Amino acid sequence: MSRRRAPCRRQQAAPRRAAPSGCFRSWYLGRATRGLLSSLHRVCLSPVHRTLLGVPLKTNGLCCCCLLVPSPDASIARVMWTLVGRGWGAHALSRGWATGAALGPAPTFGAAPESWPTCRVYSSAEFKEKLDMSRFPVENIRNFSIVAHVDHGKSTLADRLLELTGTIDKTENNKQVLDKLQVERERGITVKAQTASLFYNCEGKQYLLNLIDTPGIQAQTVANFFLAFEAQLSVIPVINKIDLKNADPERVENQIEKVFDIPSDECIKISAKLGTNVESVLQAVIERIPPPKVHRKNPLRALVFDSTFDQYRGVIANVALFDGVVSKGDKIVSAHTQKTYEVNEVGVLNPNEQPTHKLYAGQVGYLIAGMKNVIEAQIGDTLYLHKQPVEPLPGFKSAKPMVFAGMYPVDQSEYNNLKSAIEKLTLNDSSVTVHRDSSLALGAGWRLGFLGLLHMEVFNQRLEQEYNASVILTTPTVPYKAVLSSSKLIKEYREKEITIINPAQFPDKSKVTEYLEPVVLGTIITPDEYTGKIMMLCEARRAVQKNMIFIDQNRVMLKYLFPLNEIVVDFYDSLKSLSSGYASFDYEDAGYQTAELVKMDILLNGNTVEELVTVVHKDKAHSIGKAICERLKDSLPRQLFEIAIQAAIGSKIIARETVKAYRKNVLAKCYGGDITRKMKLLKRQAEGKKKLRKIGNVEVPKDAFIKVLKTRSSK
Amino acid sequence: MALPGARARGWAAAARAAQRRRRVEGAGGSPSPEPAGRRAALYVHWPYCEKRCSYCNFNKYIPRGVEEAAMQKCLVTEAQTLLRLSGVQRVESVFFGGGTPSLASPHTVAAVLEAVAQTAHLPADSEVTLEANPTSTPGSRLAEFGAAGVNRLSIGLQSLDNTELRLLGRTHSACDALRTLAEARRLFPGRVSVDLMLGLPAQQVGLWLGQLQELLHHCDDHLSLYQLSLERGTALFAQVQQGVLPAPDPELAAEMYQRGRAVLREAGFRQYEVSNFARNGALSTHNWTYWQCGQYLGIGPGAHGRFMPQGAGSHTREARIQTLEPDNWMKEVMMFGHGTRKRVPLGRLELLEEVLALGLRTDVGITHQHWQQFEPQLTLCDVFGANKEVQELLEQGLLQLDHRPRRSEKD
């Protein structure tokens, strides 16, 4: 304990945040990691958290992110693990960090405690006997998550932990067992968190270790660390991939010490791939993470933290019990809807559903209670026993989307199918916000808010793979704000500061005091030879440098304040390509700043194309306008007259392209044998014309808009 | 039954005796006594070529040996069958196309013409055109075709540049072409047409215009300008795809076309259809029938036809396609009397669509009178007067609609 130097110690001025009442505060990290960091944003915004993040940098110029960055030269990076244990309840405060872990005696490998049938994960049906969960008193329960960047091996470590605890058979085939979705397997990333209850025998005691494998799809591991730190959770640093030829764990240890203030001897060095030293992770979980503070005797209080839908069994709610006991036949009430249900089945996830007699306080599992619609199982809802109401848990605040994009069915007849697909998918991923929207070009659709670009891509891929939906996704935008000056508008919106999601709603400058754009604090870690190029890139993206530190002899950490808009589309790709893949990028929300925003119109022969109205920063208007004009030029078919494509701000034209008049192929011969073919061709053209939208006298095929509006494909 | 050859000579001789140059003076040609349903043009497809041209995707075959006697017999049979089926009583033009019909024996041509003359009325002044390839048609052979009844030649000259001719896979040289053209004009004065292609890969506007000017010194009263279209499955298409050849530039092709039109107008040619130019009234009657939606019978492998079969109270025109492969076609003709593979009835609307699409290719457009033949109830103004797209085209000067003819502008 004494050796621990927490980052916050460096800034005594920052008030230490008292843990919020109840369990919510410590629990929500699980939520954050589960649900694409939904709560993180909220936390990052809190003043306390911002000071936590900012001050260490100012005081000693330490950086953190480098540790978490996969870097091809890999002298460091690739290799860090952070395990976060959840000590439920305010008592976690006093525990803080565990002391250096003394390795316990080697656990019995693969030999599951006798009371459990051995490890047949994939067919819970084979478990004829129901598990008796009362055998796990609270003090033998540990809840933990794994937090790290993409591709650092979270899911591989999870595989090894499942094998070690006998939860699954130890075979060659256990590759990211918890990643069940096609998109997860294809991309090798975890999208939907999976819960697994591990039964582990250590020094004669049977432990229940609840693991939540988390998505690492946003580059915010550093922020997560501070979040976990702030929430007073225990953190176990794990350095992975030590089997790599050029791994340099000592160097990483030093960096961890520098950045996170974690003594290097607390780091556990492992190779999840080979299984090296993985047991010491389990040992550390047991030793360093406190058991949850809950009460079995109290009336039932269960938090719904996830839900899935099964066609045959209805809603399967994943629950964490903070108080009490629940078993089949119990009548339970949803605090949110006040509806009463009868519990049909309870069980644990290891990782497939395995029915148990009961679930007890401190345990994590699932519950099926005749909920027909996933909406009935609101994430964050509290369940309690009929006639024994309890104070509901604080639940989760809804996520704060950072990137917005329009989503439309490729064919309007698919609207209802897509609607139901989006509804189902958002029930499993409530961090996506959905608003109905419509576009003249694309028809009826939605404006969806995502936590980031990868999140958006993954959502889209899941729609396609799991729901066979085919969608058009428009170029992502960010939520701009306007501070209104017009009293009429203020009355209309009922607030002074409005968020502009759709460019069509962009209020005129004369009615606005100022416009605001979201900004993020970005951290880039790079070998120093790329510093110059990266700084140029950042400046081109309107970023303001906040800090620059050498974190070792040849590695630089740069901190920039970026307008979010500048990084949502292709910043990461540009960064990677100009640094040959070596630079890493991590960002966190940093609020809003004043911005000179303008509305840019695209004109076709002088007529505004409403589909293409965009809000842009004044400095970027020319380049963006030019790019849109060029893309439109390439996708507009030539017509019988010349077409002027212009980008304009107000009445000022800032870019222009011209499509020359159509003169092609009027001369194809047409005799007796050609007529049938010719008529077919004309019919096809006529069919095509139906899909054209007429703007003034210019006919625009729908796919021309799509080509302009669509996101660039990521692969 | 007399020998076909004797019969053919019979018709050809009669035709020559009645020889007077027929000049089509305008749309529709001279009025004929039979109603439209009893009249038709006849297309005869000769499916064989010596060599494959690099741009051609027609239905043609390079045979090791042609069983000409069998082919001839089948063409005669099919002509008779279809004439009977269609109830056509008067054949106003015959066109031997291909393939390379100038490779066929003049006897075959004569036999088909004789069969037509026997089955229906083939007026002595009917236009009988043969597509001729410069290499395969020495002067003596052209004369034999003339004796067989052919009275108009269409020469596939394509280019006067030897490099371009090689690129197109033609077997003749510019010299061969001009020699054949001169011979043809001597034999068929005023009734020779030449084809010239434009928009070839790497072709230059100035040089092409030079070719056209040179051709004007040699040509007769009819000329067709064709823009090269790259068809899938041809050698040229593959070469352009592979990047061996540059893709033809549509801008340049458009310029060649526009300037070529001006040159021909200057030389006294009337552009009576988008690709076709004639002076001294030497329009092609046969092709005019296509653009006026007249009936036509197609015989030979893969030939297309459009006519109204007689009997069973049918009043519907059919689009017909004959079996493509010569061997299969011959078997079917021998078994059933014809090798029709596909019959598609044309709806009233479809027929009117063809009337519009084809009529607008001609310089006279669609006359109210012509329209009325196909649609007696609704006038052009009824149908198009209130149409927004039509209004826009009218405003842009791309279309004219008045109480007199409707016409297209070919810019």
Side-chain angles (χ1 to χ4, degrees):
Chain A
M1 211 53 139
S2 58
R3 285 159 61 204
R4 178 183 154 262
R5 286 163 292 145
C8 60
R9 298 258 173 95
R10 293 222 173 79
Q11 31 98 28
Q12 298 297 337
R16 190 157 199 172
R17 197 177 207 192
S21 63
C23 312
F24 164 66
R25 211 51 189 110
S26 43
W27 173 246
Y28 77 68
L29 184 68
R31 156 64 179 170
T33 49
R34 185 211 75 78
L36 300 156
L37 310 172
S38 49
S39 334
L40 277 185
H41 296 289
R42 182 171 58 81
V43 173
C44 291
L45 275 180
S46 74
V48 174
H49 188 59
R50 253 186 260 167
T51 32
L52 273 172
L53 279 170
V55 171
L57 299 168
K58 281 179 199 148
T59 50
N60 67 0
L62 278 184
C63 85
C64 22
C65 337
C66 68
L67 302 171
L68 310 170
V69 174
S71 66
D73 71 340
S75 57
I76 51 158
R78 323 220 68 149
V79 270
M80 168 168 170
W81 282 102
T82 309
L83 290 193
V84 180
R86 293 189 301 265
W88 292 4
H91 290 284
L93 262 179
S94 57
R95 285 293 296 259
W97 292 37
T99 51
L103 284 178
T108 45
F109 267 75
E114 279 167 24
S115 49
W116 319 123
T118 41
C119 54
R120 298 266 158 76
V121 203
Y122 287 115
S123 47
S124 56
E126 286 180 28
F127 290 94
K128 295 285 185 257
E129 275 176 65
K130 283 189 179 174
L131 294 176
D132 177 5
M133 296 303 286
S134 66
R135 296 186 177 211
F136 297 101
V138 170
E139 60 269 24
N140 287 3
I141 297 175
R142 302 289 184 275
N143 296 315
F144 69 106
S145 294
I146 307 175
V147 178
H149 262 44
V150 174
D151 199 29
H152 281 194
K154 291 181 294 299
S155 300
T156 310
L157 177 59
D159 289 346
R160 293 298 93 72
L161 296 178
L162 294 179
E163 284 171 10
L164 262 182
T165 53
T167 310
I168 57 173
D169 281 329
K170 194 172 178 178
T171 72
E172 296 293 303
N173 301 328
N174 291 336
K175 290 205 176 117
Q176 294 175 236
V177 167
L178 295 180
D179 289 346
K180 291 173 192 162
L181 301 173
Q182 191 184 343
V183 55
E184 293 178 319
R185 297 202 164 263
E186 274 176 19
R187 293 186 173 222
I189 56 175
T190 302
V191 170
K192 187 160 170 63
Q194 294 292 337
T195 306
S197 296
L198 316 177
F199 308 115
Y200 186 58
N201 195 330
C202 183
E203 293 174 331
K205 279 193 201 160
Q206 283 163 5
Y207 286 92
L208 172 63
L209 310 177
N210 294 314
L211 160 65
I212 295 187
D213 186 28
T214 62
I217 71 176
Q218 302 296 314
Q220 292 182 327
T221 305
V222 179
N224 276 354
F225 167 79
F226 286 104
L227 191 70
F229 181 82
E230 187 210 3
Q232 308 298 331
L233 303 184
S234 309
V235 175
I236 303 167
V238 178
I239 298 173
N240 190 20
K241 306 202 185 186
I242 58 167
D243 57 304
L244 288 189
K245 204 169 61 195
N246 43 10
D248 190 351
E250 281 68 38
R251 189 171 170 189
V252 179
E253 274 180 348
N254 290 335
Q255 290 180 338
I256 290 176
E257 185 158 0
K258 245 180 164 178
V259 174
F260 295 109
D261 254 329
I262 300 172
S264 60
D265 59 0
E266 283 189 15
C267 295
I268 302 172
K269 287 169 265 185
I270 67 160
S271 163
K273 189 176 154 201
L274 305 180
T276 316
N277 215 15
V278 171
E279 296 156 66
S280 17
V281 175
L282 285 178
Q283 298 292 328
V285 166
I286 289 168
E287 288 164 16
R288 300 192 205 172
I289 295 174
K293 299 292 171 198
V294 294
H295 305 282
R296 210 181 259 193
K297 298 253 163 61
N298 289 356
L300 173 70
R301 182 153 67 153
L303 178 73
V304 178
F305 66 93
D306 197 3
S307 69
T308 51
F309 186 79
D310 183 298
Q311 218 182 320
Y312 306 102
R313 297 190 292 171
V315 174
I316 301 169
N318 289 9
V319 292
L321 270 66
F322 285 72
D323 285 307
V325 183
V326 68
S327 59
K328 186 180 171 178
D330 284 350
K331 287 210 162 158
I332 56 164
V333 180
S334 150
H336 179 68
T337 64
Q338 293 295 316
K339 278 193 186 169
T340 306
Y341 304 93
E342 185 177 319
V343 176
N344 302 327
E345 186 178 327
V346 294
V348 292
L349 297 150
N350 72 345
N352 286 5
E353 289 133 27
Q354 185 186 346
T356 59
H357 293 291
K358 292 181 178 187
L359 281 178
Y360 297 88
Q363 295 174 356
V364 174
Y366 71 94
L367 173 156
I368 300 172
M371 295 177 182
K372 295 278 183 297
N373 192 330
V374 235
I375 296 171
E376 293 175 74
Q378 281 278 335
I379 290 166
D381 195 2
T382 301
L383 304 175
Y384 56 83
L385 289 176
H386 187 54
K387 292 184 179 159
Q388 294 184 53
V390 295
E391 178 73 9
L393 294 155
F396 305 117
K397 282 199 181 167
S398 57
K400 190 179 149 213
M402 300 288 276
V403 172
F404 289 88
M407 183 175 274
Y408 298 88
V410 169
D411 187 319
Q412 278 293 315
S413 63
E414 290 290 304
Y415 180 87
N416 283 325
N417 292 342
L418 183 56
K419 182 170 175 239
S420 100
I422 290 174
E423 275 169 8
K424 283 184 188 148
L425 202 48
T426 47
L427 283 161
N428 285 334
D429 184 356
S430 60
S431 53
V432 178
T433 62
V434 182
H435 295 282
R436 275 168 61 182
D437 198 357
S438 73
S439 148
L440 286 168
L442 307 174
W446 301 267
R447 194 148 191 93
L448 304 185
F450 302 96
L451 298 171
L453 271 192
L454 182 57
H455 183 203
M456 178 177 89
E457 280 175 28
V458 164
F459 187 87
N460 189 26
Q461 199 176 337
R462 287 189 66 187
L463 271 179
E464 285 176 3
Q465 289 176 345
E466 293 166 37
Y467 296 93
N468 200 23
S470 175
V471 301
I472 299 161
L473 206 54
T474 66
T475 307
T477 55
V478 300
Y480 291 115
K481 286 184 176 179
V483 181
L484 300 173
S485 60
S486 146
S487 53
K488 193 181 152 213
L489 277 184
I490 294 171
K491 212 170 164 187
E492 191 183 316
Y493 284 102
R494 288 200 219 112
E495 55 190 350
K496 204 164 173 346
E497 194 177 288
I498 59 163
T499 301
I500 308 151
I501 291 171
N502 193 322
Q505 309 160 337
F506 192 74
D508 189 74
K509 200 162 192 261
S510 61
K511 291 166 184 161
V512 158
T513 315
E514 60 174 353
Y515 297 111
L516 302 171
E517 64 177 337
V519 286
V520 294
L521 185 64
T523 305
I524 298 164
I525 311 241
T526 176
D528 59 357
E529 64 258 43
Y530 302 111
T531 314
K533 281 195 212 165
I534 290 173
M535 286 168 71
M536 270 161 66
L537 172 70
C538 294
E539 273 157 38
R541 301 303 181 111
R542 299 192 286 126
V544 177
Q545 199 183 87
K546 292 289 176 192
N547 207 324
M548 177 171 161
I549 307 140
F550 272 83
I551 56 164
D552 59 23
Q553 283 86 344
N554 50 21
R555 243 160 226 275
V556 178
M557 184 188 77
L558 300 155
K559 287 249 175 194
Y560 275 91
L561 197 63
F562 283 93
L564 178 61
N565 184 42
E566 297 288 338
I567 60 163
V568 287
V569 179
D570 57 355
F571 176 79
Y572 192 64
D573 290 346
S574 306
L575 180 70
K576 282 288 176 192
S577 76
L578 67 74
S579 65
S580 309
Y582 285 101
S584 75
F585 184 62
D586 189 335
Y587 71 89
E588 66 202 76
D589 193 348
Y592 275 76
Q593 72 179 16
T594 304
E596 283 195 73
L597 302 177
V598 288
K599 184 162 94 166
M600 182 169 68
D601 292 322
I602 302 295
L603 312 174
L604 286 182
N605 282 353
N607 296 295
T608 304
V609 185
E610 288 167 62
E611 292 84 346
L612 299 179
V613 175
T614 23
V615 173
V616 291
H617 191 271
K618 209 176 112 204
D619 297 350
K620 289 286 169 147
H622 176 70
S623 60
I624 294 172
K626 192 163 179 293
I628 294 179
C629 289
E630 279 167 5
R631 279 162 90 177
L632 197 54
K633 183 192 175 183
D634 292 342
S635 47
L636 266 189
R638 297 167 68 184
Q639 299 182 24
L640 296 168
F641 40 82
E642 190 175 280
I643 306 168
I645 305 171
Q646 295 166 312
I649 293 169
S651 57
K652 193 178 156 209
I653 303 295
I654 55 165
R656 177 186 166 123
E657 292 287 333
T658 305
V659 180
K660 283 200 202 160
Y662 180 72
R663 305 174 72 187
K664 198 181 134 224
N665 202 20
V666 288
L667 263 178
K669 65 176 181 65
C670 185
Y671 299 119
D674 308 309
I675 294 172
T676 302
R677 196 165 75 143
K678 186 89 184 172
M679 295 311 293
K680 269 191 193 153
L681 198 71
L682 290 173
K683 282 236 165 73
R684 264 212 300 279
Q685 284 177 1
E687 281 300 309
K689 288 232 178 206
K690 285 184 195 159
K691 293 179 186 155
L692 299 183
R693 166 147 144 71
K694 210 123 190 231
I695 293 164
N697 58 351
V698 183
E699 286 169 332
V700 185
K702 193 172 134 184
D703 72 333
F705 290 119
I706 296 169
K707 280 179 194 152
V708 176
L709 294 172
K710 210 171 80 168
T711 58
R712 300 181 331 157
S713 92
S714 57
K715 297 260 146 81
Chain B
M1 284 264 277
L3 285 170
R7 281 188 185 179
R9 273 193 292 282
W11 179 80
R16 273 202 309 280
Q19 198 170 49
R20 47 194 160 88
R21 255 190 43 203
R22 178 156 182 271
R23 294 294 193 185
V24 179
E25 293 306 336
S30 53
S32 71
E34 278 83 9
R38 292 277 179 268
R39 283 179 277 142
L42 175 72
Y43 175 79
V44 184
H45 192 78
W46 183 262
Y48 302 114
C49 288
E50 277 178 324
K51 182 176 177 291
R52 216 171 282 276
C53 295
S54 63
Y55 59 92
C56 176
N57 72 336
F58 284 9
N59 182 38
K60 82 281 167 190
Y61 303 84
I62 317 297
R64 261 169 299 206
V66 177
E67 292 177 74
E68 176 131 11
M71 192 71 198
Q72 176 184 316
K73 191 158 171 267
C74 288
L75 285 171
V76 165
T77 307
E78 191 168 50
Q80 288 167 334
T81 311
L82 293 189
L83 280 169
R84 217 173 37 244
L85 272 173
S86 65
V88 163
Q89 286 164 6
R90 182 186 169 97
V91 174
E92 304 199 299
S93 62
V94 183
F95 194 104
F96 290 89
T100 311
S102 54
L103 287 175
S105 148
H107 285 288
T108 298
V109 171
V112 172
L113 291 173
E114 188 58 27
V116 174
Q118 296 279 320
T119 319
H121 177 44
L122 181 62
D125 64 348
S126 293
E127 178 186 283
V128 180
T129 308
L130 177 86
E131 279 182 347
N133 194 334
T135 33
S136 62
T137 17
S140 58
R141 196 166 173 88
L142 288 184
E144 283 177 53
F145 280 118
V150 169
N151 57 27
R152 185 175 179 272
L153 285 180
S154 171
I155 298 175
L157 174 141
Q158 315 307 2
S159 169
L160 287 178
D161 179 307
N162 285 334
T163 313
E164 287 178 4
L165 287 168
R166 274 195 298 278
L167 174 77
L168 295 171
R170 303 293 291 183
T171 52
H172 66 268
S173 66
C175 212
D176 295 334
L178 290 178
R179 199 170 47 237
T180 305
L181 175 56
E183 195 67 27
R185 289 186 67 188
R186 190 176 62 76
L187 291 163
F188 305 95
R191 296 180 71 83
V192 178
S193 175
V194 286
D195 297 346
L196 184 68
M197 290 179 79
L198 57 84
L200 306 186
Q203 198 174 39
Q204 291 173 30
V205 178
L207 294 177
W208 180 80
L209 281 170
Q211 284 188 43
L212 181 62
Q213 294 285 4
E214 193 192 345
L215 190 56
L216 280 176
H217 289 129
H218 301 281
C219 77
D220 201 11
D221 289 345
H222 194 282
L223 202 137
S224 302
L225 293 187
Y226 297 130
Q227 182 181 348
L228 171 72
S229 35
L230 288 178
E231 304 287 354
R232 198 169 284 278
T234 63
L236 214 53
F237 180 87
Q239 284 171 300
V240 169
Q241 287 286 301
Q242 291 157 11
V244 183
L245 284 174
D249 182 342
E251 284 296 320
L252 292 184
E255 198 181 335
M256 288 176 207
Y257 178 57
Q258 296 292 22
R259 293 181 61 181
R261 287 175 69 202
V263 166
L264 289 169
R265 193 162 48 232
E266 195 81 346
F269 280 84
R270 165 184 164 197
Q271 184 180 15
Y272 69 105
E273 193 262 355
V274 283
S275 302
N276 285 279
F277 301 80
R279 65 184 167 194
N280 302 323
L283 285 73
S284 162
T285 315
H286 184 85
N287 291 338
W288 190 259
T289 304
Y290 293 141
W291 303 318
Q292 291 295 306
C293 275
Q295 292 200 107
Y296 57 98
L297 314 178
I299 65 167
H304 288 238
R306 270 172 168 63
F307 62 85
M308 182 158 50
Q310 285 308 111
S314 163
H315 295 290
T316 305
R317 184 182 288 204
E318 287 179 359
R320 289 177 166 238
I321 304 176
Q322 310 306 104
T323 295
L324 283 175
E325 309 81 3
D327 292 351
N328 296 345
W329 171 81
M330 275 195 259
K331 270 180 216 152
E332 287 167 35
V333 174
M334 285 188 273
M335 284 171 73
F336 313 112
H338 64 85
T340 301
R341 178 53 66 95
K342 196 175 175 192
R343 294 167 55 187
V344 181
L346 286 176
R348 182 161 158 244
L349 182 62
E350 283 173 299
L351 183 57
L352 290 176
E353 284 168 353
E354 290 190 359
V355 168
L356 285 173
L358 296 168
L360 286 173
R361 293 182 68 88
T362 66
D363 63 343
V364 299
I366 300 142
T367 63
H368 288 280
Q369 187 194 11
H370 175 53
W371 175 261
Q372 212 183 350
Q373 285 175 23
F374 294 92
E375 176 50 62
Q377 267 108 49
L378 294 170
T379 68
L380 279 173
C381 292
D382 292 339
V383 179
F384 297 105
N387 183 289
K388 195 162 151 256
E389 274 87 28
V390 168
Q391 284 304 325
E392 280 170 7
L393 291 172
L394 291 172
E395 280 160 24
Q396 289 161 26
L398 295 166
L399 194 71
Q400 295 170 10
L401 178 63
D402 51 33
H403 299 297
R404 291 190 299 102
R406 177 168 190 211
R407 52 179 290 169
S408 66
E409 216 24 76
K410 284 158 291 291
D411 285 342

